[in-house]
Amino acid sequence: MPPVPPDAPGEGTPRGTAAGKARRWGSLARQALSGERESRGAPGSRATMCELYSKQDTLALRRKHIGPSCKVFFAADPIKIVRAQGQYMFDERGEQYLDCINNVAHVGHCHPEVVTAALKQMELLNTNSRFLHDNIVEYARRLSATLPETLSVCYFTNSGSEANDLALRLARQFRGHQDVITLDHAYHGHLSSLIEISPYKFRKGKDVKKEFVHVAPTPDTYRGKYREDHADPAGAYADEVKKIIEEAHNSGRKIAAFIAESMQSCGGQIIPPAGYFQKVAEYVHRAGGVFIADEVQVGFGRVGKHFWSFQMHGEDFVPDIVTMGKPMGNGHPMACVVTTKEIAESFSSSGMEYFNTYGGNPVSSAIGLAVLNVIESEDLQGNATRVGDYLTGLLNKQKAKHTLIGDIRGIGLFIGIDLVKDQQKRTPATDEAQHVIYKMKEKQVLLSADGPHRNVLKIKPPMCFTEEDAKFMVDQLDEILTVVEEAIGAKSESMTSENTPCRTKNCFFT
C-alpha cells in the first residue's frame, strides 16, 4: 500500500518538512469549510466521495458527450478519481493512489490555505479586471519580486496556452517580425497559433510546418544529435539555431522569437546543457528577435534551488518574456505573461487594447497569493531539493541494477526515467514503458510516459512529495522492472533455443 496521508483511513503519516505541515490539513480544511459543508463529511470520510453515476455510466456518458480526441489517463483501464489530498488521490471505492503526475496541484491537492483563500474572496467579490482591485496588483508585485528586475510587467490569462499565444503577439509586435524558432518535440499549447509551433502536435497530425516556423534540434545530450561525449554540446546545439537564423535571413525572413520550455517536458524531460540558452539568446537578439521562456510546466520552485527553471542557467541569462500557468493556481485556471517595460510599451503602441475578462480576477489573484505563501511557508523549494536529490539517488541505484533504465535525468521534482531495449544503442523501450505505467497503477502509483517515443517515465508530483513517497514509488518500480526483465530474458532464451516466436498472452516485447 502507498504511504497513508493524514486524516485518511488507516495508520501512519508522511514524513518530512512539507508533510509536517500536511498533518494539519484535515483540521484546517474542516475549520475553513464550516456549517453545511462540514456536515457533509470531513475530507477523509466516505461522505465526500459521492458519485452521480457508476464508473461504467460515467464512461458511457463520456463517450457520448465528450469529444473523442479528449483522452483520459490509462485509457485501457481508466481510474475514476473522486477526491484528493496532498500528494494522494482516491477513487470511488476509496482506494488511495500516490500521485506522481500532477504538477498542476503544485502545493498539494486541496491545500486548506488555497481553498480558504478562494472561498473567502469568492464570498466577497469576483469580477473582471477592469475594476480597480488590490489583489491583482499585489499578486503582480509579489510575482515580479521572484523574477529578474527587468521582468516587471504582467499580463494575466487563464491558461498556459493563452499565455503563450499572447507571448507570440508581444514578440511579433516588438520588431514587426513574424518567424518563430521552436525546438523539435516541443509543446506550447492547444491554440491554433501554438499547434503551429509545437512539433509534438503538428508532426502527429495532418498539419504541415508553416513557412514562418523553424524547428531546431532538441538539446538532448542523451539521445540527440550531440551527446554527452561531445566536446561542446551547448555550442553545437546553439549553432544549429544560428544556422536557422542565417537561412531565414537569406530567404528574406525575419525572426520574431525563439521559444522553449526551460526544461522540455512533453519532449521527454530534457535538461538543456549549460550555456545553451545564453548562446541562443545572443544569436536571437542579434537577429532582432526575443527569447520566450515557457515555464508553464516547470516554474514556481519545482527545480528546488531556483524559483524559475531558467534561473538554473545562470544570472547572465534573462529571457525577454516568461510565460507561466499550471501550478500558478494549484489547479485553479490561472496563467500569466511577464515581460519588460520596453516590450510592453511596444505592444501598447499598436493601439489595440488587451483585455481578458477573467485574467487576474480577484478570486484568481487571491488563490495565486495563497500558493506563493504556501511555497514559502512550507519551504517547498527546499523540499523539492531534498526529496528530489534523494529520489534521484534511489533511481540511479536502480539504473545500475536494471538494464531497461538507460538514463536518469532531472532536477528537483522534475525527473525522467528513459527506458531502453539496448543501453548501447539506446533503443527506446516504448512498449515496456506503457506496460510499466499500467503495472505501477495496479500498485497504486500514478506515473505517465512521454517523449517522442513515449518511453520516458515522467515524475513531476505535487511539491509536498516526501522521501517516504519516493522510497515507496521506487520500490514498486524495482519490482516491476525485475519482472519485466526476467520476462525478456526468458523470451530471449526461448528464441535462442527454439527459434520460435513468442506466443504467450502477455508478450508485449516483440
Side-chain angles (χ1 to χ4, degrees):
M1 287 288 293
V4 180
D7 293 321
E11 298 179 354
T13 54
R15 295 190 294 269
T17 302
K21 298 280 185 180
R23 289 189 183 97
R24 298 193 294 275
W25 282 23
S27 59
L28 286 171
R30 285 191 289 276
Q31 291 170 20
L33 305 178
S34 58
E36 180 184 355
R37 293 174 66 86
E38 185 173 352
S39 69
R40 292 176 184 171
S45 72
R46 288 290 301 178
T48 59
M49 294 190 284
C50 59
E51 294 180 85
L52 293 175
Y53 307 103
S54 69
K55 181 176 178 179
Q56 290 307 312
D57 286 346
T58 301
L59 283 168
L61 285 167
R62 185 179 177 96
R63 283 192 290 267
K64 181 178 180 180
H65 294 297
I66 306 300
S69 57
C70 301
K71 306 299 183 183
V72 296
F73 283 126
F74 310 106
D77 182 26
I79 53 176
K80 184 177 182 180
I81 296 298
V82 298
R83 72 178 183 93
Q85 179 183 346
Q87 62 272 46
Y88 307 100
M89 305 182 84
F90 300 84
D91 68 14
E92 78 283 5
R93 298 168 300 169
E95 292 293 331
Q96 174 188 308
Y97 294 85
L98 178 61
D99 181 6
C100 303
I101 293 175
N102 263 296
N103 59 332
V104 178
H106 191 62
V107 301
H109 292 280
C110 303
H111 193 290
E113 291 188 33
V114 179
V115 172
T116 300
L119 177 63
K120 286 183 177 180
Q121 184 58 53
M122 197 172 291
E123 288 180 332
L124 188 64
L125 170 72
N126 198 22
T127 187
N128 71 57
S129 54
R130 279 183 163 178
F131 290 102
L132 194 63
H133 195 273
D134 287 343
N135 284 8
I136 187 171
V137 294
E138 174 61 6
Y139 186 75
R141 184 189 71 82
R142 289 276 303 276
L143 187 67
S144 298
T146 68
L147 289 156
E149 188 175 356
T150 55
L151 294 167
S152 60
V153 183
C154 302
Y155 296 87
F156 290 102
T157 66
N158 308 288
S159 72
S161 291
E162 279 189 57
N164 281 331
D165 177 76
L166 178 57
L168 291 182
R169 289 177 60 191
L170 289 168
R172 285 169 168 156
Q173 173 64 29
F174 185 51
R175 300 291 188 200
H177 301 175
Q178 289 298 311
D179 288 26
V180 176
I181 302 174
T182 187
L183 294 177
D184 204 2
H185 314 307
Y187 174 64
H188 294 290
H190 62 80
L191 277 68
S192 295
S193 63
L194 304 173
I195 296 296
E196 290 173 346
I197 63 166
S198 297
Y200 178 82
K201 287 292 184 181
F202 73 66
R203 291 199 192 283
K204 294 180 180 179
K206 296 180 180 179
D207 293 343
V208 295
K209 184 177 75 64
K210 302 296 190 293
E211 61 181 0
F212 57 81
V213 176
H214 310 275
V215 180
T218 303
D220 178 358
T221 58
Y222 177 69
R223 186 176 278 106
K225 186 174 182 180
Y226 308 108
R227 300 187 175 184
E228 70 275 8
D229 57 353
H230 191 280
D232 181 18
Y237 277 118
D239 284 345
E240 295 283 341
V241 176
K242 182 181 180 183
K243 188 186 306 180
I244 286 172
I245 293 171
E246 291 170 348
E247 290 173 353
H249 285 177
N250 290 338
S251 300
R253 309 198 66 87
K254 296 182 178 180
I255 303 299
F258 172 91
I259 184 170
E261 289 181 278
S262 301
M263 300 186 295
Q264 202 173 53
S265 182
C266 291
Q269 311 293 87
I270 305 300
I271 316 297
Y276 171 71
F277 278 166
Q278 283 93 331
K279 289 183 172 66
V280 168
E282 178 187 341
Y283 299 147
V284 171
H285 288 155
R286 195 183 299 164
V290 301
F291 193 112
I292 303 172
D294 181 342
E295 292 268 339
V296 171
Q297 297 245 29
V298 297
F300 291 88
R302 180 157 293 277
V303 296
K305 293 181 180 178
H306 303 284
F307 200 83
W308 302 104
S309 295
F310 73 78
Q311 291 172 321
M312 68 184 180
H313 296 281
E315 293 183 1
D316 60 336
F317 170 67
V318 179
D320 303 291
I321 301 173
V322 177
T323 60
M324 56 198 74
K326 294 188 190 301
M328 193 172 183
N330 208 53
H332 179 84
M334 186 178 186
C336 187
V337 179
V338 186
T339 190
T340 65
K341 288 183 179 180
E342 184 183 11
I343 292 174
E345 288 170 358
S346 172
F347 188 58
S348 179
S349 70
S350 69
M352 183 185 296
E353 177 188 6
Y354 176 74
F355 170 58
N356 189 310
T357 303
Y358 300 110
N361 68 71
V363 170
S364 294
S365 296
I367 289 171
L369 285 165
V371 171
L372 292 180
N373 290 340
V374 172
I375 292 172
E376 181 178 350
S377 66
E378 298 187 6
D379 188 28
L380 294 184
Q381 277 187 253
N383 191 64
T385 297
R386 290 186 295 272
V387 177
D389 288 349
Y390 175 72
L391 176 54
T392 301
L394 293 178
L395 290 172
N396 277 317
K397 290 179 181 178
Q398 294 299 312
K399 180 177 180 291
K401 177 180 179 181
H402 294 290
T403 57
L404 271 171
I405 299 179
D407 190 35
I408 302 294
R409 52 182 177 263
I411 300 173
L413 287 175
F414 182 86
I415 300 171
I417 307 171
D418 199 311
L419 298 187
V420 297
K421 295 176 182 288
D422 184 301
Q423 289 196 346
Q424 295 300 316
K425 297 178 180 179
R426 304 184 179 184
T427 311
T430 301
D431 292 339
E432 291 84 347
Q434 299 306 308
H435 178 79
V436 166
I437 63 172
Y438 274 89
K439 286 298 181 181
M440 289 291 280
K441 179 174 74 75
E442 290 178 10
K443 291 179 176 288
Q444 295 171 276
V445 178
L446 303 181
L447 283 175
S448 62
D450 217 330
H453 307 287
R454 301 193 69 79
N455 69 304
V456 180
L457 305 182
K458 297 172 66 172
I459 304 172
K460 47 187 181 67
M463 296 272 281
C464 50
F465 204 72
T466 68
E467 289 185 3
E468 184 179 16
D469 298 323
K471 179 67 164 57
F472 178 79
M473 188 213 79
V474 173
D475 286 347
Q476 310 316 303
L477 182 63
D478 180 22
E479 290 182 13
I480 291 169
L481 291 178
T482 298
V483 172
V484 171
E485 288 172 351
E486 287 175 354
I488 293 173
K491 181 202 168 185
S492 178
E493 289 181 14
S494 175
M495 292 286 286
T496 301
S497 61
E498 299 179 19
N499 196 27
T500 57
C502 176
R503 294 187 174 88
T504 61
K505 182 178 180 181
N506 295 317
C507 186
F508 56 90
F509 304 111
T510 55

